[in-house]
Each structure stands twice: as structure tokens, then as C-alpha cells.
Amino acid sequence: MESTIISSKNFNAYFGANHVVKNVSIEIPQNNIIAVMGPSGCGKTTYLRCINRMHELIPGATTEGEMKLHKDNIYEMNPILVRLRIGMVFQRPNPFPNLSIYDNVIAGYKLNGMKLQRAERDNIVEGSLRKAALWNEVKDTLHKKGTFLSGGQQQRLCIARAIAMEPEVLLLDEPTSALDPISTASVEELLFDLKKNYTLVLVTHNMQQAARVSDKTAFFYLGELVEYDKTKEMFTNPKDNRTQSYITGRFS
Amino acid sequence: MSQLDHEIKLLKEEVISMWKMVHSQLEKGLSALLNNDKDLAREIVMIESRVNAEELKIDRDCEDIFALYCPVAVDLRFLLAVLKINTNLERTGDIAEGIAKMIIDTEKPFESDLLDTTHVIEMYHEATLIVQEILTAFVNEDSAIARSIFRRDEMLDNINRKANKMIADYINTHPENVEQALSLLSIIRRLERVGDQAENIAEEIIFYLEAKVLKHAKKKEIE
């Protein structure tokens, strides 16, 4: 039986008085890809940002309820340590513009003041770029700026940067929405490979992407978790009428 | 109405039109059998090519909708069901054609006492009604009507089960009419298959409406 890595129970998130995530209870199994989908403003990105405590960085943003990583309450842990264990990749590829590809990959170590031996650094850079399926494309240009890469390569570089820190969970907020179909396909392929070592939580607007890559899907609407089920079940026999209307494009 | 809704509506209309054509083929076959109307039987054989063409058109339209709209949930189930219903309807059309060919090949009209003893006309009526009824289930999206087909098919199965003995008895008493008796046995077998096709269609309608797979299910589970 799959063990649960992230679990939230009656979890709520607010921007001031605005209640954006309402009483969400969800269990995310280890080494799975979980897609989170829903219309704009449904609270899916906010929920994702609550998992690694990015939400609280916004002034006036608060949370209540339980959010656990294994058995530890995430909101009782040091937020920096939470973000080391739960990495994040954003919608637009955002490599550090002044850093080389090599330095981008190990940026997490540098920014956290973690000193590494040269050989160790080389190993991490190569290993992370290999895992991000980017090594063969950049191994001869490691000291060029990351921003010279194509959009898809930059996004894979951001994934390499996130996994260089050896997180257990990777949160991806619409990671392919700014990419062309070829780059999207390569990132999706990569997600399948990453699943062996990490648990991935993917927010996506693209329903076909959710259907293609995820094991389970959560559908959010107006801040509530409407349905959470195996993706195959959700896309063939959704239980809630709102899910059916949304995935069949009949949402009014 | 979204474009996908529109495409699905058109596809449904196409399936209904094919269904009506197949139903009409069966009805004509019954009339041809009762009246030994070889012209009507020839008409059935001719129209069969239209049924085949319609089957290919529906298949193509399903493929296009899959490729262009990536349907999910109820739309996906509808298309999967239509693909199979389409095949079942085409096979029912083949059965009507097969019966028509037997009528064409029969030298003299079927003996009325042979028709009476075998209950073939009664069976034919029921098979035609079942095809009509299952069309109603499809048009009205009514899974209760679809479920009722499983019980009605039993009547066809019953006549089919008794057919061997009835035909053997008839041949014993009417050895001069062996060929006609065997043709009628073959018609009974074909009508029984019409019932099987209707059952398959009923299963697909229930799959589309309720997302339940009844294929290979036991009777109790179906009801």
C-alpha cells in the first residue's frame, strides 16, 4: 500500500478576510503525480503555495487547519527546512539571469550558505541535470548563462535547480503553460521519470495534461475540493456534476 | 451549445437514422417472409450496402471527434458506446440481409403449418420490437428501458432452444419439405442473434448513461 507523504485536514487559507481555500482534506500518496485543476480563482495555486508555506509570505495571508509532511506538522517546522524538503517550480521559467547554468543548479546551496567541495558540486550539477533530462543538451555549455537556453530548457533547468536540493516533494505551478508543445512534451516526459524519486503536485489549467500525466486528480471550485480521485476514474466517470461540467467544457 | 455538443448531437442523429434503416430492413424481412415477396427481399439486399456505408461514416465521425475534441467523461462514454452500437447495428443489418437471401432462394412460399409450429413469426415480431424498443432507450437516454431488453430477449432464446426439436419433429412428419424446414431453422438462429445484438446495445447504453460495465455480468447484477 502506498504511504501518504502530504496530508491536509480541514485546511483553510485566507487573504485578509477573503477565504480562498475552504476546509480542504486531502492525502497525497508518495511517488505519485497529483494534478490539481479548476477554473481561475478556485484556490488551486493558493493551496499549492500553502504546502511549502509560500502563502504566508504575502502580507495579510493566513492559514488554519492541519498540513503534514509524513507525520510532521508543516506549520510547526522551520519554513526554510520545509522548502528544502518541498521544492517548487513556477509557471514561467525563472533561472537566475546573471548565473551560469552550473551556478543556477547549485543556487539553492549557495543561497542557503551551504558550502560544498568542488567534486561534490560537480556531482550534484551533473546528477540534477541528468534527472532533469537536460545534461546531454548543456554539458558542453555549463558556464553559459541559463537565460540563453530555450523556454523548455530553462524550465528543465529550474526543475534541475529544485531537485538539486534533494526534496521529497516537488510542487509545480502550471510548469508548461509558457512552453510550446514540443517543450511541453519533454517536460511531461520528465515528470514521469521524476515520479520514481519524488512526489509531484502539479497545478494545471490544461485538462489533457492532467489526464496524461497524473495518477490522481483533485478538482477545486470556489475554494472547495469538489472531487479527488484516480485520474482515470475522474476522466471517465466523475462523481460530481460540477466536475463533469468542468472537464467536458460545459461550465457556466 | 459548444462545438463538441453540436458534433455529438449530429452523431446521435446519424446513429438514429442508421437504427431506423436497420429496423426497417427487419420489418421488410418479416413482410417478405409472410408474403413470400421476393422483390421486397431483393430490396433489402440492395439497401444493405447503404447500411454498410452508414457504419463507415459513423466510425469516421467518431474518429474525428476523438482526434479533434479529446472527449472525456460522459462524452467519452457516449462515443465509445456509439462505436460499439454502430457495429451491433451493422451486424443486425447483415442478419436482415441473410434472412432476405434465404427468402429469395426459397422456391415456394413457406408452409403455414411450419411457420405456426415454430413460432417464427411471433419471434420475428418480438425481435423487431426489441430493436425498436432499444432505439427508444437510446433516444430518451433511458437505462430502465435498456434493462428491460434483457428480459425480453429470453423469449427469443426460448424459441431458439426449442427450435431443433420442433424442426426435427416437422421433418419426421413432412420429409418432402426438409429444405424449407432447415431454412426456417436458420432464420430462427439469425433472429436469436438479433436479440443478442440488442442485448449488447442495451449494455452499451447503460455504460454510457451509468458508467457501469455489464458485459459478462450475471443476470442478478444486471437487474
Side-chain angles (χ1 to χ4, degrees), chain B residues 167-180:
Chain B
I167 296 289
D169 289 348
Y170 182 86
I171 291 172
N172 275 335
T173 50
H174 302 81
E176 74 289 351
N177 212 8
V178 173
E179 206 176 313
Q180 209 172 65

Side-chain angles (χ1 to χ4, degrees), chain A residues 16-30:
Chain A
N18 193 8
H19 196 177
V20 286
V21 173
K22 298 172 185 166
N23 241 13
V24 171
S25 298
I26 204 167
E27 289 195 346
I28 296 177
Q30 207 158 6

Side-chain angles (χ1 to χ4, degrees), chain A residues 85-251:
Chain A
R85 291 172 71 183
I86 306 175
M88 189 152 189
V89 175
F90 298 88
Q91 189 172 3
R92 292 195 172 275
N94 56 355
F96 294 110
N98 296 323
L99 299 186
S100 65
I101 294 168
Y102 185 99
D103 287 337
N104 256 290
V105 177
I106 50 161
Y109 289 90
K110 284 193 170 175
L111 293 172
N112 283 295
M114 297 156 84
K115 293 215 161 69
L116 298 169
Q117 296 294 318
R118 172 80 200 220
E120 234 178 326
R121 280 204 307 266
D122 289 350
N123 270 339
I124 290 169
V125 169
E126 182 175 343
S128 305
L129 288 170
R130 279 190 189 281
K131 280 184 195 162
L134 192 59
W135 175 251
N136 287 335
E137 292 161 58
V138 299
K139 63 183 178 198
D140 301 322
T141 52
L142 286 176
H143 296 286
K144 275 193 172 175
K145 296 251 167 62
T147 43
F148 283 113
L149 299 171
S150 72
Q153 287 172 324
Q154 285 188 26
Q155 194 62 306
R156 280 181 283 149
L157 175 59
C158 294
I159 292 173
R161 184 177 64 193
I163 59 184
M165 302 307 293
E166 288 296 328
E168 294 172 63
V169 180
L170 206 53
L171 308 176
L172 303 117
D173 188 4
E174 296 182 48
T176 60
S177 63
L179 304 183
D180 65 73
I182 305 289
S183 306
T184 298
S186 68
V187 171
E188 285 180 5
E189 276 300 307
L190 171 61
L191 299 183
F192 281 119
D193 286 341
L194 292 175
K195 194 173 92 163
K196 292 170 204 149
N197 300 310
Y198 310 98
T199 303
L200 308 172
V201 186
L202 166 78
V203 162
T204 180
H205 267 304
N206 181 338
M207 273 180 293
Q208 288 312 314
Q209 180 170 65
R212 278 194 300 269
V213 305
S214 68
D215 300 293
K216 294 182 92 173
T217 298
F219 172 59
F220 277 64
Y221 182 57
L222 299 175
E224 285 176 38
L225 174 66
V226 172
E227 194 165 341
Y228 176 53
D229 205 343
K230 285 182 183 155
T231 300
K232 282 178 190 162
E233 190 66 20
M234 186 91 104
F235 280 86
T236 53
N237 183 23
K239 301 291 178 293
D240 193 287
N241 283 338
R242 289 168 292 178
T243 317
Q244 169 123 307
S245 300
Y246 183 72
I247 64 175
T248 57
R250 295 186 179 92
F251 217 65

Side-chain angles (χ1 to χ4, degrees), chain B residues 32 36 38 85 107 110 147 162 206:
Chain B
N36 194 37
K38 291 189 192 298
I85 290 171
E107 283 171 14
F110 282 97
R147 279 194 164 78
K162 292 177 185 161
I206 291 165

Side-chain angles (χ1 to χ4, degrees), chain B residues 181-199:
Chain B
L182 291 178
S183 292
L184 211 62
L185 181 64
S186 169
I187 290 176
I188 289 172
R189 295 278 187 264
R190 285 164 202 255
L191 290 173
E192 193 270 333
R193 288 211 299 277
V194 171
D196 292 345
Q197 300 298 332
E199 267 199 352

